[in-house]
Amino acid sequence: MLTQSLLYASYRQSKADYSLFVKNISNELHRGARHVDDIIVVGNDKLTIRGLTSFLNHRFKLKNLGKLKYFLGLEVVRSPKGIYLSQRKYTLDILSECGLLAAKPVSFPMEQNSRLDPDTGSPLPDPSQYRQLIGRLLYLTITRPDIAYCVNNLSQFMQLPRQPHMDAANRVLRYLKSAPGTCILFSASSNLRLTAFCDSDWAACPTTRRSITGYVTFLGNSLISWKSKKQSTISRSSAEAEYRSMATATCEFIWLRALLQDLGVPQSSPMQLYCDNQAAIHIVANPVYHERTKHIEIDCHVVRERIQDGSISTSHVASSMQLADILTKPLGGTIFHSLLSKMGVLDLHAPS
């Protein structure tokens, strides 16, 4: 019913995200994002926003909560610098339910070089507690790229969690205790060009020997998306693993460009993709460099097509500046916090 009502009001449903509705009125742009029975309305004309609210209130029983401050566990704070997005209350609720509000904090979420496997340690007597905890932590990664790798790793043991897995999850909670107000900033002064960093950790899984893909995407200097994920097949070399991660980041690029087009932010210049593996960049640039790639699935070659049509350009970045490294492996405290600061992830409630 809500979808039909918005379409009736001349809003257009985005093809990139069916929960987004857009309406252009001369030089004005109005958007509505819905989730089940919750909706956010934004635009640059208050009269039009009031008109839409009145229209929807006539069709449904609405409760207008005013300016956006809290939505589905996400806290929104405005400042002259931009918009801060966090899940502080949600984080504190998790710590309270787990009885770790008074726990001793740690400065990074997972021990460096830690490798969990499915067979070490005794099974948990009640695995449902572990599953519930990991489910809540997965939702927390919406605003916390700093725990994305750890939670992705821990979610692989949901079927039969063991004590080492629970210990690692508790360490993540102790890390959250150190900075529950960690947030991301959508800068008010940022340019609107898409860039991304992609990386992989070759044969990182000790059980399957599959690699881990990680990428972070920026709109200007604002972090807008990220992912840490085990690759679906085994890579024969680090270059192949990096090539697959470039293909995954390229797919995210394609989706984000379509979404930004609907939001009135077209990408006129090529989107920049940074990788720290020279061999992977050569594979992308040279279609006849087939000896290492003839066995790779065709869908991975999407990155080549986008390079050739000019929508994406690739650049080499030093490993020390590879921001996606934080999403592929557990890092020590110094490197971990250095990369976080470069990504623009900060603690809004930290003492100045």
Side-chain angles (χ1 to χ4, degrees), residues 113-128:
N113 301 320
S114 172
R115 288 288 186 265
L116 298 174
D117 64 74
D119 301 318
T120 301
S122 57
L124 296 178
D126 184 9
S128 62

Side-chain angles (χ1 to χ4, degrees), residues 218-235:
F218 293 84
L219 185 62
N221 55 7
S222 300
L223 180 63
I224 58 172
S225 74
W226 54 87
K227 176 167 283 189
S228 175
K229 185 179 181 181
K230 184 190 293 186
Q231 294 182 1
S232 58
T233 59
I234 297 174
S235 295

